[in-house]
Amino acid sequence: MKILILCTGNSCRSQMAHGFMQSFNKDLYVRSAGTEASGKLNPHAVKAMKEIGIDISHHTSDPVDQYLGDEWDYVITVCGGANENCPVFMGKVKHRLHMGFDDPSDATGSDEFIWSEYIRVRDEIKDAFSKFYKEEIEPEL
């Protein structure tokens, strides 16, 4: 099972989703990429995931172009920008889905509020991808 998770910068939401999917089943082939990959991970995203025992610090922020020639069972966009600007995977994707999440890096205010946004979005991603895994992926394995 091959799953590609897309976002705009590939530094936060797609990385969290990637980490969750890999934690649900180590045998899944999961990658994440960005339509405008930042080239680095968001340190708050890494910290938020580490807080619940998932290490994504070794992930890389990759441009989507490097995956365009591959075949995918699922391509999932996790932000509006990536959904609108997602390259067309002509005939190489069985299922294309969109699960939108707020970008916690856009949060402004106190440090506590900003951190709470990372936790909120992390937990929303966990819930959505856990449901997706149980309802869509597990039955296919």
Side-chain angles (χ1 to χ4, degrees), residues 17 38 44 51 54 60 62 67 79 84 89 91 119 128 131 139-140:
S38 68
H44 294 299
E51 184 179 88
I54 299 173
T60 57
D62 302 322
Y67 297 113
C79 59
E84 293 155 13
F89 287 74
I119 300 307
K131 182 179 185 212
E140 291 187 43

Side-chain angles (χ1 to χ4, degrees), residues 91-140:
K92 301 211 181 215
V93 176
K94 291 180 185 171
H95 308 281
R96 186 179 188 277
L97 306 171
H98 176 68
M99 292 188 246
F101 303 96
D102 293 336
D103 187 350
S105 66
D106 289 341
T108 58
S110 69
D111 289 346
E112 285 132 4
F113 174 74
I114 292 169
W115 178 244
S116 75
E117 286 296 282
Y118 278 90
I119 300 307
R120 177 183 66 80
V121 172
R122 177 202 66 197
D123 293 346
E124 287 176 3
I125 292 170
K126 179 183 180 185
D127 291 346
F129 275 84
S130 177
K131 182 179 185 212
F132 166 70
Y133 177 76
K134 288 176 183 157
E135 293 178 2
E136 301 292 329
I137 302 299
E138 265 189 337
E140 291 187 43

